[in-house]
Amino acid sequence: MLEIVESMCTSAWHSLESMSKQEGENTHWIQAALHSAHDRTTKDAYFHKLLASLIVTGFTNEQIRQKLEKLFQFENQVLKEQMAAVLGDHELHGVSLEVWSVLFNALIDGLAIQALVAENTDIDGLYHHLHLLVNKLLEASRA
């Protein structure tokens, strides 16, 4: 299970990383990232089911917990670097990109858990509004 989650994560993040480093001000990777995250929260998607199972296992298995910790650190670092490629290496609204990366990754995982547990969750509506929020943050950062 862990190998599947690690493989999916690293593959997705490396793909987004290459998109974020293209020349010019490139923000289409952000839309691709949100779309990818949204796709992983559909009823038939298994990624977050595996991740949630691993997290629960990690509560009692130190080896699994340590591997997940490294995976989360990897995700946060890559997202921080992607954000820096677009925004420069400075704070966004007074908050470091390191903190934003953790917050956004936690938000995406949290939305997935909501969708898995509460079947009435309007995941399409939530992602629509998340898309609007991210765009507003980016617009305000350029002003």
Side-chain angles (χ1 to χ4, degrees):
M1 254 189 337
L2 182 61
E3 290 80 17
I4 293 170
V5 169
E6 286 175 325
S7 176
M8 290 178 70
C9 280
T10 56
S11 173
W13 283 109
H14 286 305
S15 173
L16 292 171
E17 185 176 31
S18 66
M19 291 173 78
S20 73
K21 291 183 177 176
Q22 293 174 358
E23 280 190 43
E25 188 174 312
N26 176 22
T27 58
H28 74 276
W29 70 268
I30 297 168
Q31 308 316 319
L34 289 173
H35 180 73
S36 176
H38 185 202
D39 284 350
R40 288 191 310 273
T41 59
T42 61
K43 201 172 211 169
D44 298 331
Y46 61 91
F47 174 79
H48 279 98
K49 290 177 185 176
L50 289 175
L51 181 60
S53 296
L54 283 169
I55 290 169
V56 170
T57 302
F59 293 150
T60 57
N61 182 316
E62 184 62 17
Q63 185 178 17
I64 296 290
R65 190 203 60 76
Q66 289 175 356
K67 288 185 178 190
L68 287 171
E69 178 182 23
K70 287 180 181 177
L71 184 62
F72 288 169
Q73 289 170 343
F74 165 77
E75 288 184 329
N76 294 335
Q77 182 61 35
V78 172
L79 182 55
K80 177 186 167 192
E81 291 169 4
Q82 291 172 346
M83 293 172 70
V86 172
L87 303 169
D89 199 15
H90 60 277
E91 293 183 343
L92 177 62
H93 301 288
V95 178
S96 73
L97 297 183
E98 183 174 352
V99 171
W100 277 113
S101 66
V102 172
L103 293 174
F104 277 120
N105 278 327
L107 176 64
I108 297 301
D109 290 341
L111 289 175
I113 290 169
Q114 289 280 329
L116 288 172
V117 174
E119 291 184 3
N120 309 15
T121 302
D122 178 13
I123 204 69
D124 294 333
L126 288 170
Y127 270 93
H128 170 76
H129 286 93
L130 179 56
H131 174 83
L132 294 174
L133 173 66
V134 168
N135 284 337
K136 293 282 185 193
L137 285 170
L138 288 173
E139 288 171 15
S141 73
R142 293 182 189 127

